[in-house]
Amino acid sequence: MTSGISAVGSVTSASSAASGADLYRQREAGASALDAMRQPALPAYNLDNSRPGDVFFHIASGKYIGHTNIASTDKTFKIDSVDPDGVRKVSMFSDSQPAIVFRFVDWHIAYNAAKLAEGWAPKGEFRRGQPKPKKEVGYSGGAIGLGVTARVVGNLMGSSHFGTGAQGRLHKYAGRPDMKPKNVICSELCVLAYQLCLRENDAAFPRLDAKHTTPSVLFRYMTQGPGAAFWTMVGRRNFRA
């Protein structure tokens, strides 16, 4: 029988390989994002030109596609998912990370996606240093060691193709009150919010397995994949050339 320690070791070794490949993809996507952000035609993104449902990607360390966020129906807030807090509603003013912003073609769907994501966050604003509200939707299924969460390992190890597994999970969520998943990572949150507001036969439906879609995969879907027909790069946040 395999010991618990060696089992964790084999999982983390496999996840390390997957993580390395995804880190390369994140850096590759980040380079194209930075090139786009440096274009004079791409405006600064602020409250005046923001819309509910806008999705934005942090540019981590100046070169990686990182944390993914969705703008709330109240433009002064965003919805995201982090470890260990899970899905939360956070002030836009608390987020100083440089980011690149995308907008969906149908603003009604975008608004509905933002509203749905809000329903997965605890009521009220998440404030650092304040008592944390009870989670509505978590981030991870648990830690497996070395700071790696089970949810992240699952995200890295599977295919992002929308298959029967992804379809089954989506139908399960759709049958729940508020269509809540149990746990999501940041990019998974954004994908599910839009999938649950669209019909599967809609051309704009993101044919991605949300559970296995990393931020860099979602970024490439919006810029180079089928999503490019329905998502537009509209601005840059907190960017310094």
Side-chain angles (χ1 to χ4, degrees):
M1 180 180 292
T2 304
S3 70
I5 293 175
S6 61
V8 169
S10 63
V11 170
T12 53
S13 295
S15 68
S16 294
S19 297
D22 192 64
L23 197 61
Y24 172 79
R25 291 193 294 267
Q26 288 179 20
R27 185 167 186 171
E28 185 179 42
S32 63
L34 283 172
D35 287 343
M37 289 173 78
R38 291 189 179 101
Q39 297 301 316
L42 194 63
Y45 183 85
N46 52 49
L47 293 183
D48 292 333
N49 58 14
S50 65
R51 286 187 190 172
D54 287 348
V55 170
F56 58 97
F57 300 87
H58 287 168
I59 307 299
S61 302
K63 54 188 174 183
Y64 300 109
I65 290 294
H67 189 58
T68 313
N69 313 260
I70 183 167
S72 172
T73 56
D74 177 342
K75 297 193 297 184
T76 62
F77 290 93
K78 68 170 191 174
I79 309 298
D80 68 0
S81 183
V82 297
D83 186 34
D85 303 311
V87 178
R88 58 186 191 163
K89 183 178 181 179
V90 187
S91 170
M92 281 282 199
F93 301 110
S94 69
D95 185 346
S96 60
Q97 292 295 313
I100 191 158
V101 188
F102 289 80
R103 180 166 296 157
F104 189 64
V105 65
D106 186 324
W107 74 268
H108 292 281
I109 296 296
Y111 183 92
N112 289 339
K115 191 171 183 63
L116 180 63
E118 285 174 17
W120 300 345
K123 298 294 183 286
E125 178 186 354
F126 179 93
R127 294 173 180 262
R128 295 188 185 279
Q130 298 295 319
K132 294 180 180 179
K134 182 181 177 181
K135 293 179 188 176
E136 294 288 338
V137 175
Y139 179 84
S140 167
I144 63 170
L146 302 178
V148 181
T149 64
R151 194 66 176 181
V152 170
V153 171
N155 179 271
L156 290 168
M157 297 294 284
S159 167
S160 60
H161 173 72
F162 185 77
T164 54
Q167 187 180 53
R169 286 191 297 276
L170 195 65
H171 290 176
K172 178 176 65 175
Y173 303 150
R176 293 176 177 172
D178 299 320
M179 297 189 278
K180 288 180 181 176
K182 184 177 180 181
N183 299 294
V184 291
I185 68 166
C186 60
S187 45
E188 184 180 8
L189 163 71
C190 297
V191 174
L192 281 177
Y194 273 90
Q195 285 181 329
L196 288 165
C197 290
L198 287 160
R199 295 184 300 272
E200 284 180 40
N201 62 357
D202 194 309
F205 178 85
R207 300 198 68 79
L208 296 167
D209 187 329
K211 185 177 179 179
H212 300 296
T213 298
T214 61
S216 61
V217 167
L218 182 56
F219 177 86
R220 289 201 310 276
Y221 166 82
M222 290 181 174
T223 55
Q224 302 169 24
F230 307 102
W231 290 87
T232 303
M233 193 182 300
V234 294
R236 50 190 182 179
R237 294 187 75 239
N238 306 318
F239 180 70
R240 297 175 180 82

